[in-house]
Amino acid sequence: MASDDIAQLADALSKTHVGDGELSYKGLGLKLDNAESVEELVREIEQYHSLRALRLEGNTVGVEAARAIAKALESKDLLQRCYWSDIFTGRLRSEIPTALRSLGNGLMSAGARLTELDLSDNAFGPDGVKGIEQLLKSPSCHTLRELRLNNCGMGIGGGKILAEALIECHRQSSALGAPLKLRVFIAGRNRLENEGASALAKAFQLMGSLEEVHMPQNGINYAGVMALASAMRHNPELRVLNFNDNTFTKRGTLAMAQALRHLRNVQVINFGDCLVRCEGAIALAAVLREGLPILKELNLSFGEITEAAALVVARAVMDKPHMEKVDLNGNSLGEEGCEALRAAMENLDKGDMLASLSDDEGEPDDEDDEDDEENDDDDDASDNCNEDNEEDGEYVKENGMTRKEDSPVKPQSPAEVMSFLSCPSVEKLLQLGEMRTDLQQQVDASDPHKAADVLLNIASLYSEEPETKVAVLETTDALLKKLLCGSALPSYCFLSTLLVRMGLLKGEGKTKKASLIPGQLLCLEHAVQQDYFPQHHASLLHTFLSKNGEALKSCSSSKERLSSALEKRCLDQH
């Protein structure tokens, strides 16, 4: 080694931080190619008898240098924290797995029990994950609490290898009576996609100990998001969820909303740039209304959310005592929508909670078509708003209805009821008499599309003829009472689907607008004045009707009656 190189290294090492059990070479920019280049570093490691943390970030470590460092680590059984991000800059990708295996072998030989391992920003790809595979499976990682692998280019293959290693670590540690309890998992910018994310979801569900999950920018769409959501439900101590810049769309957002219903400790939600869109935003608003008691931050930025849906979200967070920040920037509010949102927050002294809206995309064009290739799979059958996800039990179909295999079977309805549902008419409705109560029993609240269709079909029979009017209103009242009396998420899913059918909200997938007639709006006018119709549901309908009421211009008189009834109900709320 040249004398000036030795002098440079000595100068760098003189800046080493030592204390609190930590030896730090962070950010020194050392080029450590071989054993000679790390002699001083190795000596300091060997002489630090109570070493608990080693920081190598911001240096570049070659294969021979890694072997020398690993040899020094073989006696460091107290080492718990390895901060080794950005340590392979300029190295051949083929070198990195070998260097990682050496370092891992040193830790395993020492019998170290790690609590933190940070290998972020190393771009080592799937082969790099293979380089730490044995370490992750070993007793040295049975005690791991924080794993940071941000920006490592793992890809689908690396995600699968990592998942299997974590599952094996959990299996072996559980057999010893002390199962792996990982608390923090960070793996943004890794191109995990659906397969990698789904593989990791299995590990997350098995561990059940996560408190923070950060997986932004991984090319995950709804299929992977649904798998992750199912896993999140099994981690009750979750505090931070960061899935920024993946593609949720409605299906993924509904799955996440279902998961969030079961999580009481979440403080930070970052679903920014995830294409949450309006129906997803409404579903999240439902969960915000009745859950997430200690939430502090909500990021739904750049999600193609329009003004009315943003207002629904804003109102849902108003009563959160710990709420500090709501980010709805980069959505599709338009200038008037931004002002309305600011005004709504400021009216309740929450204006400082709202993040900047400087990057708003403006109101969407009416011609914009959300039914693009991304949403081809977002069909009606996907919107299950059950208390439990389908992954948690087998579902069967009976008479077009979905039910859980172990749930009670509904009594068989008379043929007259099924005949009416298949082809509604006033004559059939009146002939049903008291059997009209059987109608609502045949509508599953977890199938919002079918529920909305049945409601609109029955309401289409409305007329001012007294007997018909009473029969229709009694039937729609019974149906709406069932659909709205449960928890907020299924009822909000139903209402958002109804809004799409009415043309007041642009939906995803195959959900299309119905051809409305005045009687349907008059049934709703009657319903919103009833005690069973919650005020916050009336507020949701009023928000969309007031912002998008032009869609009902063919029923202008009945629309005005409905609007007036909703406005009165909302005023009663205040």
Side-chain angles (χ1 to χ4, degrees):
M1 193 174 187
S3 59
D4 54 344
D5 289 337
I6 295 173
Q8 182 182 3
L9 177 59
D11 179 62
L13 291 175
S14 70
K15 301 172 184 175
T16 300
H17 169 73
V18 180
D20 301 324
E22 178 179 288
L23 192 56
S24 175
Y25 305 93
K26 181 178 180 180
L28 297 183
L30 301 175
K31 193 171 187 295
L32 307 173
D33 295 325
N34 49 41
E36 186 181 8
S37 67
V38 292
E39 284 180 354
E40 287 295 323
L41 187 152
V42 164
R43 187 176 298 111
E44 290 195 6
I45 291 174
E46 290 174 340
Q47 292 175 355
Y48 203 132
H49 300 296
S50 59
L51 183 64
R52 285 178 167 78
L54 178 61
R55 308 196 80 108
L56 296 175
E57 310 105 304
N59 302 288
T60 177
V61 181
V63 172
E64 294 303 319
R67 285 177 180 151
I69 293 171
K71 185 68 176 175
L73 292 177
E74 288 180 359
S75 62
K76 302 302 165 186
D77 60 324
L78 298 179
L79 186 61
Q80 297 176 330
R81 304 184 302 280
C82 297
Y83 303 107
W84 297 347
S85 63
D86 189 22
I87 60 170
F88 296 118
T89 300
R91 300 295 170 183
L92 294 175
R93 193 159 175 172
S94 58
E95 292 181 85
I96 299 174
T98 304
L100 287 170
R101 286 190 188 94
S102 294
L103 292 169
N105 287 337
L107 295 170
M108 290 186 285
S109 296
R113 294 294 184 266
L114 298 184
T115 58
E116 297 180 47
L117 178 60
D118 186 356
L119 289 166
S120 298
D121 301 317
N122 280 312
F124 46 51
D127 289 341
V129 184
K130 291 179 183 178
I132 60 171
E133 183 179 7
Q134 292 308 312
L135 172 64
L136 290 173
K137 291 179 179 179
S138 75
S140 288
C141 285
H142 288 184
T143 50
L144 198 61
R145 297 294 178 261
E146 300 185 17
L147 178 59
R148 295 177 170 86
L149 296 168
N150 204 57
N151 190 32
C152 289
M154 288 189 287
I156 293 171
K160 290 181 175 180
I161 296 167
L162 175 61
E164 288 301 320
L166 291 173
I167 289 170
E168 180 62 18
C169 181
H170 185 272
R171 187 190 70 78
Q172 292 188 20
S173 58
S174 296
L176 296 173
L180 171 66
K181 293 184 178 180
L182 194 66
R183 294 173 185 162
V184 177
F185 180 83
I186 300 176
R189 301 182 65 189
N190 272 290
R191 303 192 308 276
L192 293 169
E193 301 182 17
N194 289 339
E195 290 184 61
S198 297
L200 284 165
K202 295 177 182 177
F204 297 161
Q205 182 164 327
L206 186 65
M207 291 185 292
S209 55
L210 290 168
E211 297 177 12
E212 295 187 27
V213 177
H214 302 261
M215 297 176 67
Q217 287 184 281
N218 269 297
I220 307 168
N221 67 28
Y222 76 86
V225 173
M226 290 172 75
L228 288 167
S230 181
M232 295 304 102
R233 286 185 51 182
H234 297 271
N235 288 265
E237 300 304 317
L238 265 172
R239 294 183 293 105
V240 179
L241 273 178
N242 176 8
F243 292 111
N244 189 283
D245 198 8
N246 290 291
T247 307
F248 281 28
T249 59
K250 180 171 68 171
R251 294 184 71 174
T253 311
L254 288 179
M256 277 294 173
Q258 283 283 12
L260 289 168
R261 294 174 68 187
H262 299 267
L263 302 172
R264 306 288 295 175
N265 295 305
V266 175
Q267 297 178 24
V268 177
I269 295 173
N270 186 345
F271 295 163
D273 206 7
C274 285
L275 282 185
V276 165
R277 293 181 173 149
C278 293
E279 290 173 278
I282 292 171
L284 291 172
V287 179
L288 287 164
R289 180 167 287 279
E290 64 182 10
L292 302 170
I294 60 173
L295 188 67
K296 293 181 178 180
E297 295 184 22
L298 175 67
N299 184 347
L300 298 180
S301 60
F302 298 92
E304 295 188 3
I305 298 169
T306 58
E307 175 189 351
L311 287 169
V312 171
V313 170
R315 290 175 186 139
V317 302
M318 291 300 186
D319 294 329
K320 298 294 174 194
H322 304 284
M323 203 71 189
E324 297 173 359
K325 183 179 180 181
V326 178
D327 191 346
L328 290 163
N329 193 24
N331 282 297
S332 304
L333 310 184
E335 287 186 23
E336 291 184 5
C338 289
E339 287 304 314
L341 182 59
R342 290 189 191 99
M345 300 290 281
E346 288 171 359
N347 286 342
L348 292 173
D349 295 325
K350 303 286 186 179
D352 57 346
M353 184 190 297
L354 184 65
S356 168
L357 299 174
S358 59
D359 296 315
D360 187 73
E361 297 285 343
E363 295 183 60
D365 295 332
D366 291 337
E367 291 78 17
D368 285 350
D369 187 2
E370 286 188 347
D371 297 337
D372 52 26
E373 292 181 4
E374 284 184 71
N375 303 318
D376 285 347
D377 295 318
D378 283 324
D379 56 23
D380 289 1
S382 69
D383 300 337
N384 191 300
C385 292
N386 265 317
E387 290 284 332
D388 300 295
N389 287 339
E390 293 193 14
E391 289 84 349
D392 294 327
E394 295 297 323
Y395 279 72
V396 294
K397 289 275 188 180
E398 288 183 357
N399 299 323
M401 300 295 178
T402 303
R403 69 171 180 85
K404 222 172 182 181
E405 194 168 40
D406 57 356
S407 64
V409 179
K410 294 173 184 174
Q412 185 67 41
S413 287
E416 295 91 337
V417 171
M418 303 311 294
S419 174
F420 171 79
L421 288 172
S422 63
C423 187
S425 70
V426 172
E427 182 182 7
K428 288 181 181 179
L429 182 65
L430 294 177
Q431 287 176 350
L432 285 176
E434 293 183 359
M435 283 192 294
R436 289 196 295 268
T437 57
D438 289 340
L439 289 173
Q440 56 89 15
Q441 295 176 9
Q442 293 305 303
V443 179
D444 190 342
S446 70
D447 187 345
H449 298 277
K450 186 173 182 63
D453 283 343
V454 171
L455 177 70
L456 291 174
N457 286 341
I458 297 172
S460 69
L461 305 177
Y462 178 91
S463 78
E464 291 298 331
E465 192 280 318
E467 187 179 9
T468 301
K469 179 177 180 179
V470 169
V472 169
L473 293 181
E474 282 183 352
T475 308
T476 54
D477 277 345
L479 179 56
L480 283 168
K481 187 173 183 179
K482 173 182 178 176
L483 293 170
L484 302 180
C485 70
S487 59
L489 182 55
S491 60
Y492 271 48
C493 286
F494 162 71
L495 287 175
S496 65
T497 304
L498 182 63
L499 289 168
V500 173
R501 290 281 198 263
M502 294 171 66
L504 297 173
L505 169 62
K506 192 168 187 177
E508 292 183 12
K510 300 176 183 178
T511 308
K512 301 300 182 183
K513 179 184 176 183
S515 298
L516 293 180
I517 56 177
Q520 292 163 320
L521 302 187
L522 295 177
C523 286
L524 282 176
E525 179 215 4
H526 164 82
V528 300
Q529 299 177 69
Q530 308 308 307
D531 290 341
Y532 70 77
F533 206 101
Q535 288 181 321
H536 62 96
H537 290 86
S539 175
L540 189 157
L541 289 180
H542 181 256
T543 298
F544 277 88
L545 186 60
S546 63
K547 301 300 177 184
N548 306 314
E550 186 68 17
L552 304 180
K553 60 184 177 183
S554 63
C555 306
S556 57
S557 177
S558 53
K559 187 207 88 169
E560 291 303 321
R561 286 178 57 175
L562 173 58
S563 180
S564 177
L566 285 168
E567 190 170 346
K568 183 178 184 301
R569 191 72 196 274
C570 291
L571 287 174
D572 291 342
Q573 184 177 4
H574 301 297

